[in-house]
Amino acid sequence: DAKKLVRSPSGLRMVPEHRAARSPFGLDEPPWVPDKECPRCMQCDTKFDFITRKHHCRRCGKCFCDKCCSKKVPLPRMCFVDPVRQCAECALVSLKETEFYDKQLKVLMNGATFFVTLGTSDKSELMVCRLSNNQRYLVLDGDSHYEIEIIQISTVQILTEGFTPGGGNTRAIGMILQYKVPGSEEVTQMKFTAGEDFNCNRKLSASWLAAMHKATKLLYESRDQ
């Protein structure tokens, strides 16, 4: 997918040429609170003057003094090329998301092997599941081939085992995915179950499911924007 470099008041961004090609996990730039509407820092209430300048957080668009908005951190969900100024609260969120983009996204793209059951069928098929490089499709390959558009996914339920009423470690063993078939309102369900044949495969599957759980949270946030 072709991309272009654009300049906004917030900084340089590398974005897809067509909006339809954007990542389903992305966020739009927020509108900035107009200068005339923020005579004081929206965090510490310090009054702005010639010495105390105002700065806008690139993630939330609110207005802060330099002390409350001094951090410059990566913001991949908005496609910024360089780290951008953010308030303390937004910076913490963005740093957590950077871990997803640096580590968990790669896990999803590398893929993992699951037994996949379609709908109410009692038969499962061993398939390699991975996220496409453009982040827009979940690709399943086995004897069959499926491509599920991420934006069509309605619910994701991670299946775990090992939970006890008194607490304890749980392990992700699968997931149930529901998505809409393009061009209709029909909802299809898929069940993914990690194989128990090799210990290394179980670990890889559990890591993939954990990454998918995080990706689902980002997907829901993008929709609620």
Side-chain angles (χ1 to χ4, degrees), residues 4-214:
K4 60 182 179 180
L5 189 65
V6 298
R7 181 182 293 278
S8 73
S10 298
L12 288 173
R13 301 170 65 221
M14 185 64 74
V15 300
E17 285 194 354
H18 304 288
R19 185 173 176 82
R22 63 176 288 184
S23 166
F25 308 118
L27 294 174
D28 291 327
E29 281 188 82
W32 283 9
V33 174
D35 287 352
K36 62 181 180 180
E37 294 181 12
C38 53
R40 295 178 178 272
C41 174
M42 301 179 77
Q43 177 65 40
C44 69
D45 205 38
T46 297
K47 186 177 181 180
F48 295 122
D49 53 30
F50 289 110
I51 297 177
T52 306
R53 300 180 57 192
K54 59 186 65 175
H55 301 278
H56 287 86
C57 173
R58 273 49 175 173
R59 186 183 181 101
C60 67
K62 294 180 180 178
C63 197
F64 303 92
C65 67
D66 182 71
K67 182 180 178 181
C68 294
C69 195
S70 61
K71 296 181 181 296
K72 288 190 176 183
V73 299
L75 186 45
R77 292 186 75 183
M78 291 185 189
C79 303
F80 283 109
V81 175
D82 301 309
V84 290
R85 188 185 293 269
Q86 298 176 58
C87 66
E89 183 177 349
C90 286
L92 287 175
V93 176
S94 294
L95 286 172
K96 290 180 180 179
E97 292 174 353
T98 298
E99 181 181 355
F100 169 78
Y101 278 86
D102 288 345
K103 298 178 181 179
Q104 294 166 313
L105 194 58
K106 294 176 182 177
V107 171
L108 291 175
M109 290 179 177
N110 287 336
T113 303
F114 297 92
F115 287 103
V116 179
T117 307
L118 182 62
T120 57
S121 173
D122 57 357
K123 295 182 179 180
S124 61
E125 180 180 340
L126 190 64
M127 308 188 81
V128 175
C129 308
R130 63 179 179 84
L131 186 68
S132 64
N133 290 337
N134 61 14
Q135 306 171 20
R136 296 187 359 245
Y137 295 91
L138 190 62
V139 181
L140 289 74
D141 279 308
D143 291 336
S144 305
H145 176 82
Y146 298 97
E147 291 188 10
I148 301 171
E149 196 170 6
I150 297 297
I151 61 172
Q152 299 295 338
I153 294 176
S154 53
T155 60
V156 176
Q157 178 187 356
I158 303 297
L159 305 176
T160 61
E161 69 175 8
F163 177 78
T164 59
N169 294 327
T170 61
R171 180 168 67 96
I173 59 171
M175 72 176 178
I176 295 177
L177 186 78
Q178 292 184 325
Y179 64 97
K180 289 184 179 180
V181 178
S184 74
E185 292 300 314
E186 179 185 351
V187 175
T188 300
Q189 177 173 296
M190 277 187 174
K191 183 178 181 181
F192 297 69
T193 307
E196 296 294 327
D197 48 351
F198 299 106
N199 187 53
C200 61
N201 284 348
R202 290 201 301 270
K203 289 181 178 179
L204 180 61
S205 299
S207 296
W208 194 92
L209 289 166
M212 188 64 186
H213 181 59
K214 177 62 177 178

